[in-house]
Amino acid sequence: MLQTLTIKQFAIIDELEINFGNGLTVLSGETGSGKSIIIDAIGQLIGMRASSDFVRHGEKKATIEGIFDIDNNPEVIRTLNELEVDTDEDFLIVKREIFSSGKSLCKVNNQTVTLHDLRLIMQELLDIHGQHETQSLLKQKYHLQLIDSYSDGKYDDILKQYQNTYQTFKDKTRELDELESADQALLQRLDLMKFQADELSEANLQEGEVEQLEADIKRIQNSENLSLALNAAHATLTDEQAIPDRLYELSLQLANIDEIIPKKFTELKEQVDQFYYTLEDAKHELYDELSNTEFDEQYLNELESRMNLLNNLKRKYGKDISSLIQYQAKLDDEINKIENYEQSTANLKEEITQLQKQLNKEGQMLSKERRKVARELRDHIVEEIQNLQMKDANLEISFKPLDEPNAEGIEKIEILISPNKGEPLKSLAKIASGGELSRIMLALKSIFVKSRGQTAILFDEVDSGVSGIAAQKMAEKMRAISEYIQVICISHLPQVASMSDHHLLISKASQDDRTTTHVEELTGENRIDEVARMISGANVTKLTRENAKEMIEQNHAL
């Protein structure tokens, strides 16, 4: 959860520190008081795009710092460890500095991180929900994401297999398209490929040949020194004081000793004998090597010529010998396909046909599992939105075949709704008002809040366009969500404000020809006054204050 937010030189905010608590926190205030600026500041902590416009006029940089409690969030700790960011596993300090030049700096626990890494970390901590996200509910792709998220991994294996097949299908289709678009340029390319294939084939490339050539060339170039060393080593083993002869004599002496003192030197004699045979073998190996050690200028020239050929090929193609061997095989395959165009296209078409069948089969399996999950999700959403004063609403999740399969499946998925009895089901974009969309999105948040793993959610006027009993129900829903995670909400609704555990008033004032934003936590009479203002506007009467007090007392008695 977000514990402390510190903002400096950000927009009209000079310096501000806000302490947040558990449960539901509501931020209220007059239009233009700076509530949206606080949302923008928090948005910087989760990796939203920075702008030099955020820097207070006349200042060099803006700073936003948040302290988060991550004691009960193992996913954040795991992500921090993966990114090698230090953590004490209790608190996380996130800092964003935005410079007047437009550049920005992200720090987590005083360690600089990239914007991408900041987003990875914060997606496990805080979710900001505003009108923009509500509009995403109108997009069919979002509906599919909801079902897959709600499935909790039930059909992940089927989806992964389908996507692998789809990728292979796309690769083969692209390969066929390229082959069928063969023209003069392809024929010219064929000539080049044939030349390269012949050149590489004639070279008869072998794995590890370069290393062997280097060793052979070095041996011949150093044949004189090698011969001297081999002769010296051989002489050491064959002269009058040869080590093998001395060892043989030692072995005989140890055998005599063993007859007198059995077993005491038996192991030593075995070691001496083993060493004797080792040196005897070495003597023969040195002799054989000596007979092969002659300077052969012609052979050296042949080796160097071969090395020059290989080096020229490496430079020409920009590849090592191993890669050239692979490239040669690829050339042979492509030449074969082009020269056998009709057969190649026929083979590809057959592969594609089989892949289409497999894709359809796996797609049907995927749709079958999605439909099961969709029925459960539909019932869950209907239950939630009916609790939000859409009692006559009906909702279905529609599955329709796609003209062509895509990476997500073979059907398009769309949430359809009928807000009132007797009305046909229609797409959300055609029938849902802003207030209805807000309630549907809040219902979805309440459904997914447990599975998302986040510890805080911020609602930016999610209750826009809602009033009366519906507003009360939305307030209750936010309060219910706050039992699982911290909820911070900007609201104009007295029902939501009166339901909160903490109520912060945002206001602005002018001082020394500069506008500044202030935050005050409201309690007691001050809180009653603010809820009364939210009920009636500027004209707060004794009656509205009594209504406000009663609303607060009733909502906290729930």
Side-chain angles (χ1 to χ4, degrees):
M1 60 169 280
L2 175 60
Q3 289 195 333
T4 304
L5 175 69
T6 304
I7 308 171
K8 296 180 180 179
Q9 312 304 336
F10 187 84
I12 63 172
I13 297 176
D14 179 23
E15 184 170 348
L16 194 64
E17 182 176 299
I18 309 174
N19 294 312
F20 294 96
N22 292 318
L24 174 61
T25 297
V26 167
L27 282 67
S28 69
E30 297 283 357
T31 301
S33 60
K35 300 185 297 297
S36 61
I37 295 173
I38 294 174
I39 298 299
D40 289 338
I42 296 175
Q44 297 305 299
L45 296 181
I46 66 172
M48 288 186 174
R49 187 178 66 85
S51 169
S52 59
D53 294 337
F54 288 144
V55 181
R56 186 172 168 86
H57 178 67
E59 301 295 338
K60 294 182 179 179
K61 71 174 181 178
T63 305
I64 307 98
E65 182 177 278
I67 300 177
F68 294 84
D69 182 352
I70 59 170
D71 185 40
N72 295 316
N73 200 319
E75 286 299 315
V76 172
I77 296 172
R78 179 185 60 79
T79 302
L80 290 170
N81 290 334
E82 288 177 356
L83 298 175
E84 298 182 350
V85 176
D86 295 335
T87 174
D88 63 6
E89 299 191 359
D90 287 326
F91 297 98
L92 189 73
I93 300 175
V94 181
K95 187 175 184 179
R96 189 89 181 268
E97 294 178 325
I98 305 167
F99 299 90
S100 56
S101 63
K103 296 181 179 180
S104 67
L105 186 65
C106 311
K107 290 186 177 182
V108 176
N109 286 349
N110 206 33
Q111 185 172 330
T112 302
V113 299
T114 65
L115 189 61
H116 175 266
D117 289 347
L118 176 64
R119 289 169 179 165
L120 284 178
I121 296 166
M122 297 308 294
Q123 70 181 4
E124 305 293 347
L125 270 177
L126 177 64
D127 177 25
I128 295 182
H129 171 79
Q131 289 299 310
H132 175 73
E133 187 180 357
T134 298
Q135 293 304 309
S136 68
L137 187 57
L138 303 179
K139 300 175 183 178
Q140 291 185 18
K141 185 176 181 180
Y142 184 80
H143 303 173
L144 175 61
Q145 292 172 352
L146 288 174
I147 293 174
D148 288 349
S149 178
Y150 193 73
S151 72
D152 197 24
K154 288 179 182 177
Y155 48 77
D156 279 359
D157 291 342
I158 298 175
L159 176 58
K160 184 177 181 181
Q161 180 59 47
Y162 171 86
Q163 290 176 333
N164 289 339
T165 302
Y166 178 78
Q167 187 58 51
T168 305
F169 168 74
K170 293 297 288 184
D171 291 343
K172 293 295 180 182
T173 303
R174 183 168 49 252
E175 188 177 346
L176 178 61
D177 290 341
E178 291 173 356
L179 198 55
E180 289 181 333
S181 64
D183 54 15
Q184 188 62 34
L186 185 60
L187 295 177
Q188 292 174 355
R189 181 166 168 257
L190 176 60
D191 290 338
L192 175 61
M193 288 192 296
K194 280 186 174 181
F195 173 80
Q196 292 179 337
D198 290 342
E199 184 176 43
L200 295 176
S201 176
E202 186 178 345
N204 190 26
L205 303 176
Q206 304 293 327
E207 291 282 2
E209 184 179 7
V210 171
E211 293 78 6
Q212 186 60 49
L213 282 171
E214 290 173 344
D216 291 344
I217 291 171
K218 182 179 180 181
R219 175 191 176 93
I220 295 176
Q221 289 176 335
N222 294 275
S223 58
E224 184 177 354
N225 291 335
L226 177 61
S227 179
L228 289 173
L230 287 170
N231 271 309
H234 187 262
T236 301
L237 299 177
T238 56
D239 61 13
E240 293 181 355
Q241 297 296 322
I243 297 174
D245 294 341
R246 302 299 300 274
L247 287 173
Y248 183 75
E249 293 176 4
L250 176 58
S251 177
L252 292 176
Q253 293 166 358
L254 289 172
N256 293 333
I257 294 172
D258 190 59
E259 291 181 0
I260 300 171
I261 311 175
K263 297 183 180 181
K264 185 169 185 178
F265 294 100
T266 300
E267 183 176 351
L268 175 60
K269 182 180 182 304
E270 291 175 352
Q271 293 173 349
V272 170
D273 290 343
Q274 182 62 42
F275 195 33
Y276 167 79
Y277 291 121
T278 298
L279 291 180
E280 282 291 307
D281 290 341
K283 181 168 65 176
H284 294 298
E285 286 182 24
L286 289 168
Y287 181 79
D288 292 341
E289 198 67 34
L290 265 171
S291 62
N292 293 326
T293 306
E294 294 182 2
F295 180 76
D296 189 335
E297 185 174 0
Q298 180 179 350
Y299 185 45
L300 177 61
N301 289 336
E302 291 175 0
L303 293 176
E304 290 179 336
S305 176
R306 177 66 176 173
M307 179 65 82
N308 288 334
L309 171 64
L310 297 182
N311 286 334
N312 287 336
L313 288 174
K314 288 164 63 178
R315 283 193 297 270
K316 180 176 181 179
Y317 290 93
K319 303 175 185 292
D320 58 26
I321 297 301
S322 179
S323 298
L324 280 175
I325 293 172
Q326 296 176 17
Y327 181 59
Q328 181 184 350
K330 182 180 179 181
L331 284 173
D332 292 339
D333 183 56
E334 290 189 11
I335 291 170
N336 179 64
K337 284 181 180 178
I338 296 173
E339 290 183 334
N340 298 281
Y341 175 81
E342 291 185 2
Q343 185 60 47
S344 297
T345 54
N347 290 341
L348 275 173
K349 287 178 180 178
E350 177 59 27
E351 282 188 73
I352 290 170
T353 299
Q354 295 303 318
L355 284 168
Q356 283 177 318
K357 292 179 180 178
Q358 183 179 347
L359 198 62
N360 185 57
K361 180 180 178 181
E362 292 172 356
Q364 288 179 349
M365 292 172 59
L366 180 60
S367 291
K368 181 180 179 181
E369 295 303 316
R370 275 183 173 149
R371 286 170 184 264
K372 292 179 184 177
V373 173
R375 285 193 290 269
E376 296 177 13
L377 177 59
R378 178 264 173 199
D379 293 343
H380 203 159
I381 295 174
V382 169
E383 179 184 355
E384 292 292 337
I385 62 175
Q386 287 181 349
N387 288 336
L388 291 170
Q389 287 305 110
M390 295 179 67
K391 294 182 179 179
D392 294 328
N394 187 26
L395 181 143
E396 295 293 342
I397 299 178
S398 165
F399 285 75
K400 291 183 179 179
L402 289 166
D403 294 335
E404 292 184 0
N406 59 32
E408 303 302 329
I410 62 172
E411 293 181 311
K412 58 182 178 182
I413 297 170
E414 183 178 13
I415 295 176
L416 304 176
I417 188 170
S418 169
N420 304 298
K421 282 184 179 179
E423 293 185 10
L425 290 163
K426 293 183 180 180
S427 67
L428 292 173
K430 292 181 179 179
I431 201 168
S433 67
E436 288 166 343
L437 281 176
S438 295
R439 279 179 277 176
I440 295 171
M441 183 56 81
L442 184 58
L444 291 172
K445 289 292 181 183
S446 66
I447 291 172
F448 287 97
V449 67
K450 296 179 185 178
S451 61
R452 287 294 296 273
Q454 292 165 328
T455 56
I457 185 170
L458 195 157
F459 288 119
D460 183 9
E461 298 188 8
V462 69
D463 48 23
S464 177
V466 181
S467 60
I469 299 176
Q472 176 66 23
K473 293 297 183 181
M474 289 191 75
E476 292 173 3
K477 186 62 65 179
M478 290 185 204
R479 181 66 178 271
I481 294 175
S482 72
E483 293 178 4
Y484 297 98
I485 65 174
Q486 178 190 41
V487 175
I488 302 169
C489 176
I490 288 182
S491 179
H492 293 289
L493 294 178
Q495 293 91 334
V496 177
S498 61
M499 186 73 71
S500 65
D501 298 297
H502 311 280
H503 189 162
L504 303 179
L505 175 64
I506 314 298
S507 61
K508 67 179 180 180
S510 297
Q511 184 177 0
D512 299 328
D513 297 325
R514 298 297 298 271
T515 301
T516 57
T517 295
H518 301 277
V519 176
E520 176 189 0
E521 181 163 6
L522 301 178
T523 58
E525 295 299 317
N526 290 336
R527 183 175 186 184
I528 294 173
D529 288 341
E530 174 61 9
V531 173
R533 183 198 65 79
M534 297 173 76
I535 293 174
S536 64
N539 297 320
V540 176
T541 65
K542 181 179 179 181
L543 180 60
T544 54
R545 288 193 83 260
E546 290 176 355
N547 289 339
K549 181 178 180 181
E550 183 180 6
M551 185 180 290
I552 293 171
E553 290 174 349
Q554 286 181 346
N555 282 334
H556 278 264
L558 293 177

